Each structure stands twice: as structure tokens, then as C-alpha cells.
Amino acid sequence: MNLLKQKQALLAPIIVLVVVVIFSLTLASSVNPTPKNLPIAIVNEDEGITVPTKGEINLGKIMVSKINEVTNSQKESAVNWIQVSSEDKVRKGLDDKKYYAALILPKDLSQKQATLMTPNPSPIEIKVLLNQGMNANASTMAGQILNNVVSQLSMNIRTEVLSELEKNNTLISANQASVLASPILNKIENVNEIGTHTANGNAPVILITPLWMSSLIGAVIIFLGKKKANMTTSVNKLKVILEQIALAIILAFVAGFGITLMADWIGFTIPNFIDTALYLTIAYFSFHILISAVMSWVGFGGVALFALIFFFAGSIIGVAPELLPKFTHDWIYSWVPMRFGADGLREIFYFGKELSFSHSMVILVWIASVSTIVLLASAFKQNKIQKEQQLSLNE
């Protein structure tokens, strides 16, 4: 027997090339993540001042106008600036995961800018809020963008003040020179902090990854055992499926509490052990039933689909959607069930949320519910034995 003449040997290079190409595509999202329309809030609380020779001046409005002008001039902006009326509202928006960061212009902005013309100037303090828990990398990028914005605003103010002083032939004091070197002070505050021992904010992704893999393995093992069961009638099949669901529930508790226990033992900071374990239990059950439902209709071939989802999802569920390429965002990220598991854990870990019907939880429950119905419906699908019996009766 000549191995090189076998069909499998001839197909091997093509199959290997296809596998290499597919799995190489999973790296595309991490090559050069570039922000697009990153939602950042801007609050203008500046009350303005009245200058005898110039009338009403509101430096905050001028700054917001300039920022919008620069953004609108760009074909594809890195930032989607969202104007919010107050700091309280913006903090609520950060807690609701609406913004990665916020720029807050203070009430005395114009007033302090006016003091820069005097021998005793007061530096302007601008507050920057970074929403670490929403996504650590994206909030860091947002922070860098805001630092650049504040630096540019600071330079513009310094240039304008020095120009005005030079025009009036006014000598500046040592104190003025010191403040004018950096007229705007950037006060940074991290909100929904990721804390320590959370893998730089990636703990939710790290915990969901083995959960998905264990749900795939668990579903496959039960599927193989199910094939050996007596399923000659729809009633028998329905009974086996109910047993399959019962086993999935048991495995869900084993995986959910097991992964949480191991994470705690390894050294991860688990803010609420029971809520985390129960959430992972629900996520496992949702994934397991989804995989089982698909395999109940398409057979063992469904494993390949979920293996692909695992490899593609592993590199993107930890990335902010605004940093993903358009194709990856629209055709992969939007359809990956693992991201809902990670998002829900993020709320428990970094936003102080308890186990509740959050958006992610609702999605997981819907996946589990629909998958359960699809799995139960497979009891009425004719298998090979039933088809043969039907043909015998027809003859």
C-alpha cells in the first residue's frame, strides 16, 4: 500500500492550510486595535463670566465647540463625544456602561482662565473619569485621548494668554510663569476600578473560557452516551432528553462552583463567591443546552462549529467592540454567546452588581430556553431505526 496515493494523504496539505488560515484569522483583531467612535462623555458645567469689554464669555462652550469641530472634520473619528448635562448623570452613565470615560469642565473654568492674566493666577482643574470596569484597555485608550485633548486645550490657553500679555506689554510674575507652564491640571479618577488580582481586568474572560470548553466537552460526552440509549420511540427519546437536561443541570453546578473555587484558590479576587458561582452555573447550562440542541439535529458535526466559535471568541470577547475591525464586530463578535457570559461577570466583578436579571443574564436565559425547546423537539425527529420501521410498514 502506497500512502502517498491515498486520498486522505493528498487532501492533508489542503486541510492543514485551511485550518491554519482559519485560526490565523482569530489574531486579526489583536494586531492593531484602533478605536472607532469610542463613546466618551463631556460635561460643561462652566458658568461663564462677564468681561466689561467683551461681554459674556463661557470658555467651556468654546472648548466643547472646538472639540466637536475637530471631530466633525475627521472622516472616521476615534471618539463619539456625548454631551451630558451634569456630573451626577455622567457617573450614572458610567455605571450603566454607556461611556468609557468622561471629561468634566468645572463651574469656575472661565473665572480661573481670567485669573491667568493677573499676577496671582489660579490653575484650571479639569476632571477626567475613566471607566476601568467597562474595559480596561479601552478606558486606557480613552484616557490617552483625553490627556491629548487637555494638553491641546492647555497649550491653546497658554498661547492666547501670553499673546494678550505681550500685546499689552505686561511683564509676568514668577507665579504667573509657573502656572502658565501648565495652565490646566488634569485630575484623573478611576471609576468601577478593576482592583488587584483580576488579570488587569480580564478575569471575566479568563473564567468564561474554561467554562465554554467544559460545556462543549460535557455536551459531547452526554451526546455520545445518549446514542447508546434506547430511543426507538418518541416517548423513549423524550425520556432520554429529560435525563440529558437533568445531567446538564448537575454538570452546570459542578462547573460553576468548581471554576469559582479554583479561581479563588489560584488567587483571583472574587467579589462575591456565591453570585459568581451561580452566574457561571447559569452560563454553563445555557452553553451546554445550546450545544446539545444543535447536535441533536445536525449530529456530531456540530462540534466543529462550536470549536470554531471557541477559537474565534477567545481573542475578541476581551476586546471592546469599538476596537474591533468592522467584519469581526458584525459577523463574529455579535454572534458569540461567550461574550454575554463575560459581560455579566464584569458587572459582578467591577460594578458591584448582585446576581440579577441584567441584560447579559436575560440573553443567557433566552438562549437556554430556546435551546431547551429545540432539544425537546428533536424527540419527534425520526431516527434511522424509526425510518426503517416506517419503510417496512409501508411495504
Side-chain angles (χ1 to χ4, degrees):
M1 175 177 152
N2 192 333
L3 178 62
L4 296 178
K5 291 182 180 180
Q6 298 302 311
K7 182 170 65 175
Q8 290 86 346
L10 296 174
L11 287 174
I14 299 173
I15 294 171
V16 169
L17 180 61
V18 170
V19 170
V20 168
V21 170
I22 289 174
F23 292 133
S24 295
L25 288 174
T26 64
L27 304 176
S29 60
S30 57
V31 173
N32 183 30
T34 305
K36 293 177 286 293
N37 293 318
L38 206 66
I40 297 179
I42 183 166
V43 180
N44 177 27
E45 295 185 331
D46 187 18
E47 295 176 344
I49 58 171
T50 302
V51 179
T53 57
K54 297 180 180 179
E56 290 283 340
I57 292 180
N58 189 303
L59 186 59
K61 286 183 179 179
I62 296 172
M63 287 182 171
V64 172
S65 178
K66 284 183 178 179
I67 289 171
N68 288 331
E69 186 180 326
V70 171
T71 303
N72 293 333
S73 67
Q74 298 172 345
K75 187 176 180 181
E76 189 173 47
S77 176
V79 178
N80 174 24
W81 293 101
I82 302 169
Q83 286 188 251
V84 183
S85 60
S86 69
E87 183 176 342
D88 288 339
K89 287 184 179 179
V90 90
R91 285 185 180 275
K92 186 179 185 308
L94 292 168
D95 289 340
D96 291 338
K97 298 192 293 185
K98 291 182 178 179
Y99 327 114
Y100 289 101
L103 181 68
I104 301 174
L105 306 179
K107 294 180 180 180
D108 57 0
L109 177 59
S110 296
Q111 184 181 345
K112 284 191 173 180
Q113 191 266 352
T115 68
L116 297 175
M117 301 290 293
T118 68
N120 296 303
S122 296
I124 300 165
E125 279 195 4
I126 288 182
K127 196 179 292 183
V128 172
L129 307 180
L130 301 181
N131 197 0
Q132 279 193 327
M134 189 171 174
N135 187 283
N137 289 334
S139 67
T140 299
M141 285 188 178
Q144 292 169 349
I145 291 170
L146 291 180
N147 281 335
N148 291 335
V149 169
V150 172
S151 295
Q152 186 63 46
L153 293 174
S154 185
M155 186 176 69
N156 291 343
I157 288 176
R158 181 173 63 249
T159 302
E160 289 174 8
V161 171
L162 290 174
S163 177
E164 189 70 23
L165 291 172
E166 184 181 4
K167 182 180 175 182
N168 297 330
N169 294 317
T170 305
L171 295 175
I172 63 173
S173 65
N175 191 23
Q176 257 183 308
S178 175
V179 172
L180 285 174
S182 183
I184 297 181
L185 301 180
N186 197 2
K187 186 179 179 183
I188 299 174
E189 178 186 343
N190 292 322
V191 298
N192 301 313
E193 294 184 75
I194 57 175
T196 58
H197 298 90
T198 61
N200 293 322
N202 290 314
V205 176
I206 292 174
L207 296 187
I208 282 296
T209 301
L211 189 84
W212 174 268
M213 202 61 196
S214 60
S215 66
L216 177 60
I217 293 171
V220 169
I221 291 173
I222 292 177
F223 176 79
L224 294 175
K226 177 182 167 184
K227 291 181 73 174
K228 297 178 181 180
N230 177 20
M231 297 196 299
T232 54
T233 66
S234 295
V235 174
N236 286 341
K237 284 197 287 185
L238 189 60
K239 182 182 176 183
V240 170
I241 289 172
L242 291 174
E243 292 173 349
Q244 183 180 7
I245 293 172
L247 279 172
I249 294 172
I250 295 171
L251 290 178
F253 278 97
V254 171
F257 279 81
I259 289 175
T260 307
L261 190 62
M262 286 300 297
D264 187 49
W265 179 71
I266 290 169
F268 277 101
T269 299
I270 307 295
N272 188 316
F273 185 92
I274 296 298
D275 282 359
T276 301
L278 288 175
Y279 182 84
L280 288 173
T281 298
I282 294 167
Y284 177 96
F285 180 77
S286 177
F287 298 157
H288 182 114
I289 291 298
L290 171 64
I291 297 166
S292 298
V294 172
M295 286 198 298
S296 69
W297 287 91
V298 303
F300 198 73
V303 176
L305 170 65
F306 292 106
L308 279 175
I309 289 175
F310 171 77
F311 282 104
F312 274 108
S315 63
I316 64 173
I317 60 174
V319 180
E322 292 82 5
L323 304 183
L324 294 171
K326 182 174 173 56
F327 176 82
T328 306
H329 179 274
D330 294 346
W331 295 99
I332 302 177
Y333 179 82
S334 298
W335 298 94
V336 172
M338 290 169 65
R339 73 183 179 95
F340 299 109
D343 286 347
L345 272 185
R346 202 179 297 279
E347 292 179 353
I348 295 173
F349 270 63
Y350 311 129
F351 289 83
K353 302 286 181 70
E354 297 179 348
L355 190 68
S356 62
F357 273 95
S358 61
H359 174 71
S360 300
M361 177 68 82
V362 169
I363 297 295
L364 290 176
V365 170
W366 269 106
I367 290 174
S369 301
V370 173
S371 299
T372 300
I373 293 170
V374 172
L375 181 60
L376 289 170
S378 67
F380 304 98
K381 181 187 73 169
Q382 283 190 328
N383 57 28
K384 187 176 179 181
I385 296 174
Q386 287 175 313
K387 286 179 180 178
E388 290 174 356
Q389 290 175 343
Q390 185 66 40
L391 286 172
S392 300
L393 289 172
N394 291 338
E395 290 174 0

